[in-house]
Amino acid sequence: MRPLDRRFCIAPMMEWTDRHCRFFHRLLTRHALIYTEMVTTGAVLHGDRARLIGFDGAEHPVALQLGGSDPPALARCARIGADFGYDEINLNVGCPSDRVQEGRFGACLMAEPKLVGECVAAMTAAVEIPVTVKCRIGIDDQDPELALEAFTAAVESAGADALIVHARKAWLKGLSPRENRDIPPLDYDIVFRLKAAHPRLPIVLNGGIATVEAAQACCSRLDGAMMGRAAYQEPWRLLTVDPLLFGAAAPFASVRQAAQALMPYIERELTRGVRLHSITRHLHGLFHAVPGARAFRRHLATAAVKPAACAAVLAEALTLVMDSPAEMAHTAAA
Ligand SMILES: Cc1cc2nc3c(=O)[nH]c(=O)nc-3n(C[C@H](O)[C@H](O)[C@H](O)COP(=O)(O)O)c2cc1C
């Protein structure tokens, strides 16, 4: 099995990185490792599996993120994910929401390294594909130096194939999940020290990576960087991922071409009953510093939400955007 290249990852984001979003991101970068939204073990075991974790073959390499803390349930879900064709199974140890805490999973598991080790061991025993963990540097009043080290030692000895560290604490009481993505300060240095102490464990940095160049800079000290909000809100950035991080040509010369390449997918999904807006909502930030970008967004926001909206709405929106030096800059980067 060839190890996955983790130099650039797109973060798991609930309500955002659904299968339509991932298909679209894949048009912008062939090499990024893409993550699903978190899916709980309960949902995988008892829910509509095809709807919850089904994906398009074009999305590879793609990782399934699971939420849970029961080793046998996680092992079963990892197996199901591997059988669906996922390239990696990831365990969420970073989500601070109340609902997740009540289920005793997500970030609160930072306090239970032994249990997380048992989860990882159960999952690695169940599948041949990589099993990874996404965590914080600590929670609440934990000392991150101690907590992150104990946590990492536990997951590494349990056989984890990589650790993704969102380089800030999670405050489980008093901060909303959204505030928990901004308020606890980022500490990249602790992640660099962690890598020095665990040279054989692939470690990926997450949190506040705002540009592809910043991700590139991480790769000299770590195994990769994971971009979340910037990738979703400013997807035009993704077109430079393959040239800058993987030494490969960009899949398209411009974001406009990538959007045009989405048309056959849209046609196909509409015939399956998907609403246009479910797909085009992920494109709102596609154009940046280009005359017409706002008109593009506005047209999608008003016309794509109509029940009978068809692919022509995207074609119309694209006519509102000018070709400009900003777009040419993407071409040059390719
Ligand atoms: C809308 C949204 C949903 C998120 N959902 C998840 C999730 O399902 N699983 C997870 O591990 N992290 C989730 N996160 C956190 C991101 O994966 C990432 O750790 C965080 O946004 C910090 O990275 P960034 O600064 O590059 O955005 C979510 C973030 C956002 C903005």
Side-chain angles (χ1 to χ4, degrees):
M1 186 174 59
R2 240 185 46 215
L4 290 172
D5 193 331
R6 307 179 179 283
R7 276 176 282 179
F8 189 92
C9 307
I10 302 177
M13 288 177 281
M14 293 281 272
E15 312 272 322
W16 287 9
T17 52
D18 63 13
R19 65 190 178 88
H20 305 308
C21 175
R22 299 191 307 264
F23 187 95
F24 163 57
H25 284 174
R26 181 57 75 214
L27 291 173
L28 298 164
T29 161
R30 288 201 184 95
H31 296 280
L33 177 54
I34 298 184
Y35 285 73
T36 67
E37 309 163 87
M38 178 184 74
V39 192
T40 64
T41 50
V44 174
L45 293 175
H46 309 297
D48 177 352
R49 240 172 246 171
R51 186 181 62 77
L52 287 165
I53 65 169
F55 66 96
D56 190 287
E59 291 176 37
H60 289 294
V62 57
L64 171 64
Q65 188 187 61
L66 295 174
S69 59
D70 176 50
L74 282 165
R76 282 175 62 199
C77 291
R79 185 68 255 162
I80 291 166
D83 291 341
F84 262 72
Y86 280 96
D87 299 291
E88 170 185 317
I89 306 295
N90 176 264
L91 178 65
N92 181 328
V93 186
C95 181
S97 80
D98 290 343
R99 192 177 60 86
V100 158
Q101 284 181 59
E102 279 159 24
R104 197 184 163 207
F105 61 96
C108 63
L109 291 177
M110 288 299 298
E112 301 196 63
K114 187 166 162 288
L115 174 59
V116 176
E118 288 162 13
C119 294
V120 169
M123 290 192 286
T124 53
V127 297
E128 306 74 33
I129 56 174
V131 170
T132 66
V133 176
K134 179 169 178 279
C135 69
R136 300 277 186 142
I137 61 174
I139 47 170
D140 297 335
D141 52 9
Q142 278 185 330
D143 174 348
E145 296 291 344
L146 301 177
L148 186 60
E149 172 50 39
F151 185 83
T152 305
V155 299
E156 185 173 26
S157 61
D161 292 278
L163 183 65
I164 302 151
V165 187
H166 181 178
R168 56 162 57 91
K169 273 187 163 182
W171 293 107
L172 298 184
K173 296 275 169 290
L175 290 188
S176 69
R178 191 187 180 133
E179 289 168 329
N180 259 307
R181 288 180 213 126
D182 284 315
I183 293 178
L186 285 165
D187 183 354
Y188 288 174
D189 285 339
I190 195 172
V191 185
F192 298 145
R193 288 196 293 280
L194 188 73
K195 178 65 193 177
H198 298 266
R200 284 195 303 280
L201 178 67
I203 295 182
V204 172
L205 177 76
N206 168 242
I209 306 283
T211 65
V212 177
E213 289 78 3
Q216 193 181 22
C218 284
C219 292
S220 59
R221 305 182 69 174
L222 297 166
D223 299 274
M226 173 180 271
M227 183 186 271
R229 288 162 291 185
Y232 186 83
Q233 288 161 346
E234 300 164 342
W236 52 271
R237 295 188 183 279
L238 299 176
L239 203 55
T240 59
V241 166
D242 292 357
L244 287 180
L245 278 123
F246 298 94
F252 292 96
S254 67
V255 289
R256 176 193 297 279
Q257 284 181 21
Q260 281 159 346
L262 191 60
M263 292 294 189
Y265 176 83
I266 292 178
E267 304 274 9
R268 187 190 82 190
E269 292 296 310
L270 293 183
T271 62
R272 291 179 176 174
V274 170
R275 298 272 291 269
L276 181 67
H277 177 66
S278 305
I279 306 173
T280 55
R281 73 188 181 97
H282 303 301
L283 274 67
H284 285 199
L286 186 56
F287 292 97
H288 163 73
V290 181
R294 192 180 301 165
F296 172 80
R297 262 198 311 278
R298 200 181 313 123
H299 192 66
L300 289 185
T302 51
V305 289
K306 296 190 177 142
C310 62
V313 170
L314 176 58
E316 288 155 18
L318 286 171
T319 64
L320 302 172
V321 194
M322 306 281 178
D323 286 323
S324 80
E327 187 168 352
M328 294 306 142
H330 299 309
T331 311

